[in-house]
């Protein structure tokens, strides 16, 4: 059986939306492919482990461009709602007469966004039966051929812009 992906913060997940997207995308392919290989290994008694290393993944074992788009769209919509909630909280604080320095506010919003994203990713990845490493790998592959996969590019860039609007950092 597969190990559950751990959600410790890695150095690559700290600030870049591209990185966040890539991390989200990368896990999917690996987990799905490993689960498919495990199923094949248990159903075929004469299949040796060395054969598994040489097996070529079929299309159904891989994360498709449509899968990547659906995952990033779901992450975007969920995190957009988080941004609305955070904005409402900031507005309530400001209406009560409290002033938060811009730099401190930006830092707070970014931290809350990233905290919510980690929770959201776990749920979206589970719903889509993917892990972060596979999703990252698939996303990078599709992004390298952006002319061929414009929907992936749009979905990733839309998510990146949302992150940039909160973090103030260009990705």
């Amino acid at each position: 059986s597969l190990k559950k992906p751990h959600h410790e913060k890695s150095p690559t997940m700290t600030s870049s939306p591209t990185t966040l997207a890539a991390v989200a995308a990368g896990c999917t392919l690996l987990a799905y492919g490993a689960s498919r290989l495990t199923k094949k290994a248990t159903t075929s008694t004469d299949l040796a482990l060395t054969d598994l290393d040489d097996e070529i993944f079929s299309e159904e074992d891989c994360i498709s461009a449509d899968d990547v788009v659906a995952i990033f769209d779901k992450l975007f919509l969920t995190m957009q709602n988080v941004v609305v909630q955070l904005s409402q909280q900031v507005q309530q604080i400001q209406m009560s007469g409290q002033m938060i320095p811009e730099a401190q506010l930006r830092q707070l919003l970014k931290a809350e966004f990233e905290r919510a994203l980690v929770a959201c990713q776990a749920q979206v990845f589970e719903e889509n039966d993917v892990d972060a490493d596979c999703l990252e790998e698939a996303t990078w592959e599709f992004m390298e051929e952006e002319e061929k996969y414009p929907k992936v590019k749009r979905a990733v860039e839309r998510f990146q812009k949302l992150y940039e609007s909160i973090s103030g950092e260009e990705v």
Side-chain angles (χ1 to χ4, degrees):
S1 79
L2 290 175
K3 292 181 184 177
K4 281 205 175 251
H6 59 80
H7 298 287
E8 293 176 15
K9 211 169 197 179
S10 71
T12 58
M13 279 187 71
T14 52
S15 64
S16 166
T18 305
T19 304
L20 292 173
V23 168
C27 289
T28 311
L29 184 61
L30 182 62
Y32 186 67
S35 70
R36 299 284 290 183
L37 289 176
T38 303
K39 287 178 189 169
K40 289 180 182 180
T42 56
T43 57
S44 178
T45 54
D46 61 338
L47 186 61
L49 286 178
T50 54
D51 293 336
L52 290 175
D53 293 337
D54 299 330
E55 184 169 299
I56 297 172
F57 289 107
S58 68
E59 284 297 315
E60 67 203 35
D61 292 336
C62 299
I63 298 171
S64 70
D66 289 340
D67 294 334
V68 172
V69 169
I71 290 166
F72 275 96
D73 285 349
K74 177 67 174 173
L75 289 172
F76 174 83
L77 292 173
T78 303
M79 294 310 298
Q80 190 176 42
N81 288 333
V82 168
V83 170
V84 169
Q85 292 169 355
L86 290 172
S87 297
Q88 290 170 345
Q89 291 171 357
V90 168
Q91 188 176 20
Q92 288 172 348
I93 290 169
Q94 290 173 338
M95 287 173 55
S96 72
Q98 294 178 311
M99 297 310 287
I100 303 171
E102 181 68 29
Q104 185 181 355
L105 179 60
R106 179 78 63 189
Q107 188 177 17
L108 177 67
L109 290 173
K110 180 182 171 190
E112 284 302 306
F113 183 91
E114 289 177 350
R115 182 196 57 75
L117 179 60
V118 168
C120 173
Q121 282 178 326
Q123 182 180 349
V124 171
F125 294 170
E126 187 174 322
E127 289 170 1
N128 289 278
D129 195 25
V130 300
D131 71 22
D133 292 334
C134 294
L135 183 61
E136 178 180 6
E137 184 178 328
T139 300
W140 281 119
E141 287 180 19
F142 293 127
M143 291 294 285
E144 287 174 3
E145 297 185 67
E146 59 187 57
E147 323 75 44
K148 190 174 175 182
Y149 302 103
K151 289 180 181 179
V152 170
K153 182 179 188 237
R154 273 194 305 273
V156 170
E157 286 179 348
R158 182 172 77 152
F159 185 81
Q160 288 174 331
K161 285 182 175 111
L162 179 65
Y163 181 83
E164 288 173 358
S165 73
I166 291 298
S167 70
E169 300 170 5
E170 195 171 315
V171 185

